[in-house]
């Protein structure tokens, strides 16, 4: 399937944060988005997911238009800033609660996702006691647990040690092999080099295709 982004624009308080963005993104590919803080990477993901309304242009998935045919991109797994998990629940309790809202992930799917990112699904510690790296891993687990068709990951290897980085990169590549369309925004040039099939540069809300990633 294709995620078609046609001339989208978004301004906040008079400042353009996305300017005439057009993209053609296909399932089974990983697209890397590189840029400085404030360049528009996170806002792009918010717009494409449906978490933020655009001012003009269209976002089309499977022939249907976002905010017309559906309010949030269906079959989406997303990791962006402020995951919003409950600090007084364990990791598996958090993901079980979220899965209960959509009914798309079984308990075995939740357990497997947690194991895949290198966590113990039966850890009794609550989320508020997790290290930053553990929180990052759990955030990725919630993004993949429903086997989504589209996955958007904003700084997926942030706060991870070298082993964690390798584990999460492996998970992302496995999701590509499953056929997911994956968008990765990262300051880590090595993430983009290892993961992305195509690279885009984001600067001042504008997006320029850099070609195939090296």
């Amino acid at each position: 399937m294709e995620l078609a982004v046609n001339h989208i624009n978004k301004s906040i308080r008079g400042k353009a944060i996305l300017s005439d963005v057009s993209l053609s993104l296909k399932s089974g590919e990983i697209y890397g988005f590189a840029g400085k803080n404030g360049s528009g990477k996170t806002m792009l993901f918010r717009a494409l997911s449906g978490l933020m309304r655009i001012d003009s242009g269209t976002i089309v998935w499977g022939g249907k238009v976002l905010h017309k045919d559906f309010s949030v991109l269906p079959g989406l797994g997303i990791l962006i800033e402020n995951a919003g998990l409950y600090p007084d629940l364990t990791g598996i309790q958090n993901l079980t609660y979220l899965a209960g809202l959509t009914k798309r992930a079984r308990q075995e799917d939740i357990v497997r996702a947690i194991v895949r990112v290198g966590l113990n699904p039966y850890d009794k510690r609550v989320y508020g006691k997790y290290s930053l790296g553990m929180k990052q891993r759990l955030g990725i687990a919630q993004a993949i647990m429903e086997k989504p068709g589209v996955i958007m990951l904003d700084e997926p290897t942030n706060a991870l040690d070298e082993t964690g980085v390798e584990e999460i990169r492996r998970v992302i590549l496995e999701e590509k092999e499953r056929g997911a369309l994956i968008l990765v925004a990262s300051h880590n040039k090595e993430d983009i080099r290892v993961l992305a099939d195509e690279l885009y540069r984001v600067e001042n809300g504008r997006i320029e295709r850099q070609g195939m990633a090296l």
Side-chain angles (χ1 to χ4, degrees), residues 76-85 91-92 94-99 102 104-105 109-110 112-115 117 119 127 134-148 150-154 171 175:
L76 172 70
I78 187 167
L79 173 72
I80 53 177
E81 58 197 9
N82 303 321
L85 298 177
I92 196 167
N94 263 293
L95 299 199
T96 299
Y97 170 75
L98 292 175
T102 60
R104 288 198 294 263
D109 297 322
I110 297 168
R112 183 166 183 266
I114 294 173
V115 171
V117 300
L119 294 176
Y127 180 75
M134 292 174 68
K135 289 179 177 178
Q136 185 75 355
R137 289 171 186 258
L138 191 67
I140 293 169
Q142 67 82 24
I144 66 170
M145 67 178 180
E146 296 178 339
K147 303 185 179 105
V150 181
I151 299 173
M152 300 182 188
L153 302 173
D154 191 4
V171 168
E175 291 299 298

Side-chain angles (χ1 to χ4, degrees), residues 109-173:
D109 297 322
I110 297 168
V111 170
R112 183 166 183 266
I114 294 173
V115 171
R116 287 178 68 195
V117 300
L119 294 176
N120 175 5
Y122 305 109
D123 191 331
K124 299 299 184 183
R125 282 174 290 182
V126 296
Y127 180 75
K129 299 292 186 181
Y130 276 20
S131 68
L132 288 176
M134 292 174 68
K135 289 179 177 178
Q136 185 75 355
R137 289 171 186 258
L138 191 67
I140 293 169
Q142 67 82 24
I144 66 170
M145 67 178 180
E146 296 178 339
K147 303 185 179 105
V150 181
I151 299 173
M152 300 182 188
L153 302 173
D154 191 4
E155 304 293 345
T157 60
N158 188 42
L160 297 179
D161 59 17
E162 185 175 346
T163 299
V165 168
E166 292 301 320
E167 288 175 338
I168 295 309
R169 286 176 182 166
R170 183 178 67 249
V171 168
I172 293 170
L173 290 170

Side-chain angles (χ1 to χ4, degrees), residues 19-40:
S19 299
D20 195 29
V21 174
S22 292
L23 299 166
S24 177
L25 309 174
K26 295 180 172 58
S27 296
E29 300 287 331
I30 299 177
Y31 297 89
F33 294 84
K36 298 177 181 178
N37 276 338
S39 61

Side-chain angles (χ1 to χ4, degrees), residues 43-56:
M43 290 300 182
L44 174 68
F45 284 12
R46 288 185 176 278
L48 298 188
S49 65
L51 297 177
M52 178 182 75
R53 281 188 170 270
I54 55 175
D55 296 331
S56 61

Side-chain angles (χ1 to χ4, degrees), residues 17-18 36-45 202 204-205 207:
I17 59 172
L18 293 173
K36 298 177 181 178
N37 276 338
S39 61
K41 303 189 303 299
T42 300
M43 290 300 182
L44 174 68
F45 284 12
V202 185
N204 297 323
I207 297 178

